[in-house]
Amino acid sequence: MNDGKRGVNLLRTVKAAAIVAALLGATTPMIVSTVAYAQSSGVIRDIKVDGNNRIESATVDAYLTVAAGDPYDAQKINDSLKALFSTGLFADVSISFNQGVLLVNVVENPIINRIAFEGNQRLKDDTLSTELQLRPRVVYTRTKVQSDVQRILELYRRNGRFAATVEPKVIQLEQNRVDLVFEIEEGEATGIRKVNFVGNKAFDDGELLEVIRTTESAWWKILTSDDNYDPDRVTFDRELLRRFYLSAGYADFQVLSSVAELTPDRSDFFITYTVSEGSRYQFGTINVVSQIDKIDAEALVPLIEIEAGEWYNADMVDDAIEVLTTQVGDQGYAFIDIRPNVERNRENGTIDVTFTIAEGPKVYVERINVVGNVRTLDEVIRREFRLVEGDAFSSSKMKRSKQRVENLNFFKSVDVKTLPGTTPDQTVLEVDVEEKSTGEFSIGAGYGTDNGAFGQLGIRERNLLGKGQDLRLNFTLGSSDQQVDLSFTEPYFLDREVAAGFDVYRREEDNQDESSYDEEQTGGRLRAGFKYSEELSHSFRYGLEKNSYSNISSDASRLLLAEENEFIESSIGHTLTYDKRDSSYSPTEGYFARLSNDFAGLGGDETYLRTRIEGGYYYPLDRENEWVLSTRASTGYIFGIGDDTRISQRFFTGGANLRGFESAGVGPRDIATGDALGGKSYYTGSVQMDFPLGLPSEFALKGRVFSDFGSSEGVDGARPGEIYDEGSIRASVGVGVGWESPFGPIGVDLSQAVLKEDYDKEEVFRLNFGTRF
């Protein structure tokens, strides 16, 4: 067989192999070299490039390992083919050599005109596009397409959809362009059929299931994604298990493995955690050692709330470090390093802890980065920080800053991390937040045994335009009253830490059942507040209100008939608050106290002084299981200056502040007419226990038991024997259930009065519910 025939046959064989490879869907390009063997030796006199449209011939020449004037070398020709294919610019390349001319024939890869997605509902186009290597106006290659398919599949797997499939489709266009379409079949979310634990003896599977985030799939878990498989969540569960065991005294605990097995139908996973619990330890001796001469270590020991004999708890060690850091920091030492040295005594089952205080490296805050906020302005978050650029770094200030940002109630989560700065003595604080809806559409409802039902409708935006401003509009409609009020608060007025705002309102109250008259109030209020410290705040207000009585019953109380039906109040007031609670929205620990005074007499028709004092204490009986005991109390007194007090100015007790009795159900009452007259003084108190109901945590249901007590007395101008005014203590007991639903808080209370007077008005059932957007 001569050389010419051999070259033709080889060409046919190679091209046939390429066609077969294409049909089989080969993911890597097949190098096809076509060389005419009519002349297999000699010198390359000239190089010609054919088939190129977009790519210059000089570009092709640059990738060749041979040049004109070189002797023909089969190995170099093969290297040239590989170099050209590796560029990703060509779908096919062939080289032939005849009569001193090296002919390079190329087939250019097409250019991507457009990339589209079809069938994706759970993940948006923008989310998928960010994962792709390919882009419009980029050269199309099969390798990159297959790589992008795997990237999309991985994205779906991270979202719990392991049954997803992706099929790339290519649409040929003119001028060697293509549209690339990824046809996606998302499939059902891959659930968790069963979670198993191996090696656990101290805690059963049910207890450990309450610790981890991953939950077993169930039909009623439609509002959570924790029952979908997520490898990142499984990794986080390992850390949760470690923290749980360390807080229970198991200092040697380890998670040996976490294995996820996909069912044959790819619909669910079996997850198995293999653990080694180790021995349980108690605290031994607790010592503090200071390497700083001016710090008295012995004086710091009483600050540590750890006692020998208690079960070892890593959280208590962390709390002790925080207490020591704060105390030493308050003495002027910004750069300290407190390390707990733990020494296990395996024979006695104890752990001795020595807290060593040393001078830490001097670290300053280089800058503060805020990430994750889409709607909220950076300055809204930055102004809550107790640290600014250039400050000496303080872990206690960083923790307090994190709590302040959380107290804004604008974010689902707040994470503050320290990152290396540009120099060793600098650090970068990164605040990573996840925003949540701050608009609220709330509905409230209640029912009293005597006054029937009422409803409330409120619209509120707590983060207006992302500036942290609070705008609220409330409507109340019921058998007893109607109300519209508009309020606005700027938390940093004139860029200072002063919260300023106003209220405008119109109220119409039907007091026929309680006091035989209707009341209308129209007015407004200006207010401003600031903080003396993290815990102590002070606010001031001025209000102007027009008040009028109407529809006064002819047989109403004499005291009411004697009052003028229309008057104007002009008053100033202040409120001083000391708040040490861990959260102002859902406190579980700490206390607060509040003093308010209002003086009327700066113009207007009325002159009086009214005082209120209230406070509360919250004690976590079981932090882990969220058992919280709370007590609250309030009292108040009003007296007229030169004039008697009016019925609308006095205190009414019952309802929200004394469950078991309806609003105005307790206090002075006209004997003849039964009208509630309000008291010049009052007091109320409450003891409540909040506890979990033993249901899975995703239900977000909590129970409560409570006992309320209080009373009210004192009326100006009453004649002997005209009113009931014993001032005796009233009390009630009750139970309730609260649900932090996705639609807002829902609560039901059932209460029964146990200490009461015959003329009191009781309320057994109260319901409130709301929704948020």
Side-chain angles (χ1 to χ4, degrees), residues 46 145 485 532 702:
D46 191 16
V145 171
D485 65 88
Y532 297 109
K702 284 188 178 181

Side-chain angles (χ1 to χ4, degrees), residues 366-367 420-428:
E366 180 178 359
R367 66 180 184 275
T422 55
T423 60
D425 65 341
Q426 291 184 320
T427 186
V428 175

Side-chain angles (χ1 to χ4, degrees), residues 482 484 503-509 517-525 542-550 564-571 600 602-606 608 646 648-649:
Q482 294 82 43
V484 178
D503 304 285
V504 180
Y505 56 87
R506 165 75 174 179
R507 302 171 186 149
E508 297 179 4
E509 298 182 4
Y517 78 104
D518 295 339
E519 182 179 7
E520 296 180 2
Q521 298 171 329
T522 304
R525 181 168 52 240
Y542 169 76
L544 183 64
E545 177 182 284
K546 178 182 179 182
N547 200 314
S548 61
Y549 300 159
S550 61
E564 295 182 5
N565 294 346
E566 191 171 301
F567 56 94
I568 294 176
E569 286 186 11
S570 176
S571 64
L602 299 177
D605 304 319
E606 304 299 310
Y608 62 79
R646 289 179 172 272
S648 61
Q649 298 163 352

Side-chain angles (χ1 to χ4, degrees), residues 5 30 231 263 283 515 527 575 590 597 603 653:
K5 291 182 178 180
M30 189 171 181
T263 58
F283 280 111
S515 305
R527 46 188 165 74
T575 298
N597 297 106
T653 306

Side-chain angles (χ1 to χ4, degrees), residues 123-135:
L123 298 179
K124 302 298 184 184
D125 288 4
D126 292 343
T127 303
L128 296 173
S129 297
T130 57
E131 293 291 319
L132 301 184
Q133 288 181 316
L134 292 172
R135 295 283 188 274

Side-chain angles (χ1 to χ4, degrees), residues 220-448:
W220 40 264
K221 298 180 181 179
I222 58 176
L223 300 175
T224 179
S225 62
D226 288 345
D227 61 338
N228 295 335
Y229 175 71
D230 184 346
D232 293 334
R233 190 185 299 122
V234 171
T235 302
F236 181 57
D237 287 341
R238 294 171 64 105
E239 177 64 16
L240 291 177
L241 287 169
R242 190 188 70 84
R243 293 179 188 176
F244 172 73
Y245 270 93
L246 286 178
S247 67
Y250 294 88
D252 297 330
F253 173 81
Q254 288 181 306
V255 179
L256 300 179
S257 66
S258 54
V259 179
E261 298 176 285
L262 189 61
T263 58
D265 61 359
R266 304 179 65 86
S267 63
D268 293 298
F269 272 93
F270 289 98
I271 299 179
T272 303
Y273 297 92
T274 303
V275 303
S276 173
E277 292 180 331
S279 301
R280 193 179 189 190
Y281 294 87
Q282 293 175 311
F283 280 111
T285 58
I286 307 298
N287 295 313
V288 178
V289 175
S290 175
Q291 298 178 357
I292 303 175
D293 295 336
K294 296 183 180 180
I295 295 179
D296 184 3
E298 294 297 325
L300 297 174
V301 174
L303 299 177
I304 302 175
E305 297 180 354
I306 299 177
E307 295 183 4
E310 288 185 297
W311 290 115
Y312 175 79
N313 188 332
D315 293 336
M316 296 179 69
V317 175
D318 292 339
D319 292 342
I321 293 174
E322 182 181 339
V323 170
L324 294 174
T325 301
T326 302
Q327 182 67 24
V328 176
D330 290 343
Q331 298 180 30
Y333 294 90
F335 305 104
I336 58 170
D337 183 19
I338 300 179
R339 296 187 180 183
N341 299 314
V342 176
E343 184 176 346
R344 291 176 175 83
N345 189 330
R346 301 185 189 278
E347 294 181 359
N348 298 333
T350 59
I351 291 180
D352 299 332
V353 183
T354 301
F355 296 93
T356 302
I357 303 174
E359 286 195 59
K362 294 184 177 182
V363 179
Y364 298 88
V365 178
E366 180 178 359
R367 66 180 184 275
I368 299 175
N369 295 333
V370 180
V371 298
N373 55 317
V374 177
R375 183 165 169 267
T376 306
L377 301 180
D378 279 9
E379 65 175 292
V380 173
I381 300 171
R382 289 177 179 274
R383 66 194 183 193
E384 300 300 326
F385 259 67
R386 302 297 89 181
L387 291 165
V388 297
E389 283 85 349
D391 280 357
F393 175 77
S394 168
S395 59
S396 60
K397 287 185 178 181
M398 185 179 74
K399 182 177 180 181
R400 177 57 183 161
S401 300
K402 178 176 182 289
Q403 184 180 24
R404 286 173 60 89
V405 176
E406 289 175 336
N407 286 342
L408 292 174
N409 202 25
F410 298 164
F411 310 105
K412 290 181 181 178
S413 63
V414 179
D415 184 26
V416 182
K417 295 178 287 189
T418 57
L419 304 175
T422 55
T423 60
D425 65 341
Q426 291 184 320
T427 186
V428 175
L429 299 183
E430 183 175 278
V431 190
D432 190 355
V433 299
E434 181 182 359
E435 293 181 320
K436 67 178 181 180
S437 297
T438 53
E440 300 177 6
F441 175 73
S442 60
I443 303 173
Y447 181 82

Side-chain angles (χ1 to χ4, degrees), residues 9 17 141 143 164 241 360 373 539 555 558 612 632 655 658 723:
N9 290 335
T141 68
T143 302
L241 287 169
N373 55 317
S539 63
D555 58 354
R558 180 192 64 82
R612 290 189 183 93
R632 291 191 62 142
L658 185 54
I723 63 173

